[in-house]
Amino acid sequence: MIGVELSLLLRRRRVWLCWALLCALPTAIAILLAVTKIVPPPGPGAQFLSAVLADGQLFPAAALALVLPIFLPITVAVVAGDTIAGEAATGTLRYLLVRPVGRLRLLAAKLAAVAVFVLLAVVFVTVTAYIVGVLAFGVGPDASLGGTGGITSLSGVVLTPTQLAGRTALTIAYLALCMLALGAVGLFFSTLTDSPLAAALGVLAFVVASTVLLPLDAAAGIRFYLPTRHWLAWVDLYRDPILWRAVRQGAAVQAGYVLVAFGAAWANFATKDVTS
Amino acid sequence: MTVIETEGLTKRFRHVVAVDGVSLAVPAGARFGLLGPNGSGKTTLVRMLLGLVHPTAGRVALLGRPMPRDAAQVLPRVGALVEGPAAWPHLSGRTNLRLMDAAGGGGRRNRADRVEEALVRVGLGGIGARHVRAYSLGMRQRLGIAAALLRKPELLLLDEPTNGLDPRGIGEMRALLRHFAAQGTTVVLSSHLLSEVEALCSRVGVMSAGRLVLTADLDTLRAPTGLVQVRTPDPAAAVGVLNGQVVHRNGDLVMVRADDPAALNARLVAAGVPVRELTALRRTLEQVVLELTGPSADRVDGGRS
């Protein structure tokens, strides 16, 4: 069933369009930066942008920070909101269920497809940004030429290319997990309605609600459990030594969201009357 | 064996009782037609049989096993068309069938052959790579039936199978379903098209307002009414011969009350009355159903016209 779901996912033009748009935004920014050489002041997320002019190899991190707050969640909302509601809307849900595909198996396969989508999305952005970054900004001066011989981390220590590759892989995994949590919420919403659009908007409303609550002092008690609070924890992976605490906490909260949302989706879908 | 068995099957959607205490038994090999106006509960009944909708009360057994509990064992042996065909619009018909087959756990071996065979059966053998999005209604319907035929089902459960087909397509579909019935497949049709059911089924169930108001053999329902219609160029002579038996006369048509059409014919011929046409009148299925069922549920004026 997972094979069927992947096949359906990869044959969808919408999915490729999402990936293309995710890669297009950092590319456009790289071109603007390379042409104008105007660098934004350092700040959260933009920390990397101010450094990319010196070394294009840092651009993947900058690109991830750029697509993370809005672009990536939108694509996840679209794809995850479509999972069950989309099948209901086209009528294929009833035919899948009488094939028969067990309801739990269908949900699991859908979540797996969403996981593949988010993982590939993050990987594509990283790879595209690396190529674009190196092409646009070049690689920092080599050690033999008096350069640092690596990438300067956020804490000022030099990272070797191997270290950088390892940390990039960790970042990809962490962000994919964050987006999978959102995808699981989308899967749940998708079992509540026969309209993929409504489910996708529900996911976006969820993200916006979390973002709005985050700075609110009155919401301090639940702040830790807001998903968006942990989205930028991956920045700590680029410090030396790595500050694991926030990353570990973030991963735990996101994994919790995956479990709870998937459980809710299962609870709702298992005995739902399929009348679409 | 009883292929479909329900007992007191009831489904309530909030305040609406869609299916109300339906007890139905369809034996193996039957050609069964489920009739009733729109909104009489046919589709909800079919959905409950297939485990898509969970009954509020009562029980369902399909192929001798309880549903929806044993869906995983039962449904691979059932081919279904529920409320019109559906397919992924961005894929070709062939890819749709392949993915559906894979989803249902059909083995990879022979999959291409199974899909090809089903496509040929429904007259889509030459279908190219065109996406389903561009299919006509009739082509979608054929594709839906092909999907139902993928795994040589023991039971075909088809909701409005000829919807969207042209007269030739309807003829082809009937021939196809007869072919499967002849091979021992139980065929259950649900339709509001009486001619459809009349042409294919030997037994019918009639639903009205969620209740199964009648199950009977078609032959019983359509027993002769005891009236014979005679067409003759000399109606006056016919009326003379059949004095007292004539119900009414209209041009060259004479309506006669007679139990044995052959004897009636012999009498007329012996008396020298030429007979052009002689028909024993039967009730049509349409009359039976209209007598049994109330106004359509998609009418909101209570059926007063």
Side-chain angles (χ1 to χ4, degrees):
Chain A
M1 191 57 211
I2 289 177
V4 173
E5 282 307 327
L6 287 183
S7 183
L8 282 171
L9 183 82
L10 296 179
R11 285 167 196 265
R12 238 175 210 140
R13 211 182 318 169
R14 186 188 315 157
V15 165
W16 290 96
L17 196 67
C18 282
W19 283 333
L21 285 174
L22 281 173
C23 294
L25 178 70
T27 306
I29 288 176
I31 293 170
L32 285 175
L33 285 182
V35 171
T36 61
K37 311 267 185 218
I38 302 172
V39 176
Q47 286 158 320
F48 296 103
L49 267 189
S50 36
V52 292
L53 278 190
D55 193 327
Q57 290 182 75
L58 269 178
F59 193 59
L64 288 173
L66 285 167
V67 296
L68 181 60
I70 299 171
F71 252 45
L72 203 49
I74 288 179
T75 61
V76 173
V78 167
V79 171
D82 193 53
T83 46
I84 299 294
E87 301 286 359
T90 55
T92 38
L93 180 59
R94 60 179 184 268
Y95 287 109
L96 282 172
L97 294 179
V98 301
R99 204 63 343 231
V101 180
R103 295 188 181 204
L104 183 59
R105 205 154 68 93
L106 183 63
L107 284 179
K110 290 285 184 193
L111 189 66
V114 171
V116 169
F117 171 79
V118 296
L119 187 62
L120 286 180
V122 180
V123 168
F124 286 162
V125 169
T126 309
V127 171
T128 311
Y130 184 82
I131 296 168
V132 170
V134 170
L135 285 179
F137 311 110
V139 180
D142 207 286
S144 57
L145 299 174
T148 51
I151 315 293
T152 311
S153 72
L154 292 179
S155 26
V157 180
V158 172
L159 298 177
T160 66
T162 329
Q163 276 178 316
L164 183 71
R167 285 158 194 233
T168 305
L170 281 173
T171 304
I172 289 173
Y174 181 78
L175 284 181
L177 178 62
C178 290
M179 289 302 119
L180 181 63
L182 203 55
V185 172
L187 181 71
F188 170 51
F189 287 170
S190 198
T191 63
L192 295 175
T193 167
D194 289 347
S195 154
L197 184 65
L201 289 177
V203 176
L204 290 181
F206 177 71
V207 174
V208 170
S210 169
T211 314
V212 168
L213 287 176
L214 206 48
L216 208 63
D217 282 333
I222 57 165
R223 189 172 289 156
F224 182 76
Y225 300 99
L226 296 174
T228 52
R229 176 187 183 279
H230 304 279
W231 281 6
L232 283 174
W234 61 276
V235 171
D236 287 351
L237 292 170
Y238 287 86
R239 299 184 200 282
D240 201 75
I242 296 174
L243 294 176
W244 284 107
R245 194 163 166 271
V247 174
R248 217 178 290 135
Q249 284 179 346
V253 168
Q254 305 296 339
Y257 267 100
V258 174
L259 288 177
V260 170
F262 188 80
W266 165 235
N268 179 50
F269 191 57
T271 55
K272 192 188 178 188
D273 287 331
V274 175
T275 53
S276 60
Chain B
M1 192 186 71
T2 314
V3 170
I4 297 177
E5 196 171 10
T6 74
E7 211 178 275
L9 198 59
T10 300
K11 180 64 191 182
R12 192 188 310 270
F13 290 111
R14 295 193 189 184
H15 304 295
V16 182
V17 182
V19 172
D20 190 0
V22 168
S23 298
L24 172 69
V26 177
R31 285 169 292 146
F32 189 87
L34 197 57
L35 286 164
N38 290 337
S40 57
K42 300 188 299 289
T43 300
T44 304
L45 177 60
V46 168
R47 282 178 184 269
M48 279 195 281
L49 295 178
L50 293 169
L52 290 172
V53 166
H54 295 74
T56 312
R59 48 170 212 91
V60 185
L62 214 55
L63 298 166
R65 306 182 73 152
M67 285 291 286
R69 204 196 72 191
D70 285 358
Q73 289 80 44
V74 172
L75 291 181
R77 297 153 63 196
V78 179
L81 190 65
V82 189
E83 220 172 339
W88 292 293
H90 62 295
L91 304 175
S92 73
R94 192 169 271 114
T95 310
N96 260 285
L97 289 192
R98 284 189 184 155
L99 289 179
M100 272 296 174
D101 188 71
R108 195 185 292 270
R109 269 187 62 220
N110 305 331
R111 178 174 300 151
D113 295 342
R114 274 200 300 276
V115 167
E116 234 32 63
E117 196 191 327
L119 284 172
V120 169
R121 274 225 181 282
V122 297
L124 291 178
I127 198 82
R130 223 184 334 158
H131 288 180
V132 170
R133 203 191 307 277
Y135 280 21
S136 69
L137 191 56
M139 287 167 80
R140 284 167 201 243
Q141 190 73 19
R142 285 168 193 260
L143 185 64
I145 293 170
L149 297 180
L150 264 178
R151 262 183 295 170
K152 305 250 183 315
E154 293 163 49
L155 165 65
L156 272 173
L157 201 50
L158 306 173
D159 202 0
E160 312 283 359
T162 54
N163 198 15
L165 294 177
D166 58 19
R168 189 185 295 275
I170 292 175
E172 287 172 22
M173 213 44 73
R174 274 184 199 159
L176 183 67
L177 295 182
R178 281 211 192 92
H179 164 82
F180 275 96
Q183 289 187 335
T185 307
T186 309
V187 178
V188 175
L189 295 186
S190 120
S191 182
H192 61 266
L193 295 177
L194 303 166
S195 56
E196 202 46 59
V197 169
E198 215 161 7
L200 205 86
C201 298
S202 55
R203 195 170 166 80
V204 296
V206 181
M207 290 196 72
S208 175
R211 291 176 168 277
L212 188 65
V213 289
L214 172 85
T215 38
D217 288 334
L218 201 55
D219 286 342
T220 321
L221 286 181
R222 299 180 56 221
T225 52
L227 289 177
V228 179
Q229 183 176 274
V230 180
R231 190 185 292 275
T232 166
D234 193 356
V239 171
V241 173
L242 303 170
N243 193 21
Q245 277 177 274
V246 174
V247 179
H248 75 94
R249 181 187 147 185
N250 180 13
D252 60 350
L253 280 178
V254 182
M255 190 78 84
V256 186
R257 189 176 306 284
D259 291 332
D260 186 352
L264 174 68
N265 190 31
R267 243 176 99 197
L268 287 170
V269 173
V273 179
V275 174
R276 274 211 186 119
E277 211 176 84
L278 189 139
T279 319
L281 291 185
R282 291 166 181 275
R283 281 205 300 173
T284 63
L285 189 54
E286 187 172 354
Q287 286 169 325
V288 175
V289 171
L290 289 180
E291 280 165 26
L292 282 169
T293 57
S296 306
D298 49 16
R299 226 186 134 135
V300 292
D301 57 359
R304 291 180 300 272
S305 50

